[in-house]
Amino acid sequence: MAHGVVHQFAGGTEDQYKASIAAVHPADGSLPAGQVFHAAGPSADGWTIVAIHDSKESWEQFRDGTLMPRMEAGIEGGFETPPQETAFEVSNQASS
């Protein structure tokens, strides 16, 4: 079953987002293995990212193997604090 994750970075900016994505996503602009959707943009109090993975397991592999190690090491120009995270099982996934 697909797995969704919403990250809210209070006070986050587009520049911090771009630096962070450059550090954790493939350099060719594709999505990480198992990620099937990615959207991001400014929100009321910062920056919001929504990602859908093909399974909870692929999310956990990305989180534990790439995202968290790179964020914990520090990303120059990236988000300075961890996000508020909301995760959910995707029961309906449609596209146009």
Side-chain angles (χ1 to χ4, degrees):
M1 174 177 280
H3 186 77
V5 179
V6 178
H7 281 157
Q8 174 61 42
F9 290 90
T13 67
E14 184 173 7
D15 287 340
Q16 289 174 316
Y17 166 74
K18 287 179 178 178
S20 297
I21 287 299
V24 301
H25 274 202
D28 65 4
S30 64
L31 295 174
Q35 193 174 114
V36 298
F37 177 83
H38 179 96
S43 52
D45 66 345
W47 198 263
T48 299
I49 301 170
V50 178
I52 306 294
H53 283 257
D54 59 11
S55 67
K56 184 176 181 182
E57 291 74 24
S58 74
W59 157 245
E60 290 172 344
Q61 285 179 330
F62 173 69
R63 180 195 65 203
D64 297 344
T66 302
L67 181 62
M68 292 310 298
R70 291 193 183 157
M71 288 190 78
E72 289 170 355
I75 297 170
E76 185 175 341
F79 294 116
E80 298 175 2
T81 59
Q84 176 182 344
E85 180 177 297
T86 303
F88 61 99
E89 294 302 319
V90 177
S91 62
N92 182 22
Q93 186 175 347
S95 60
S96 56

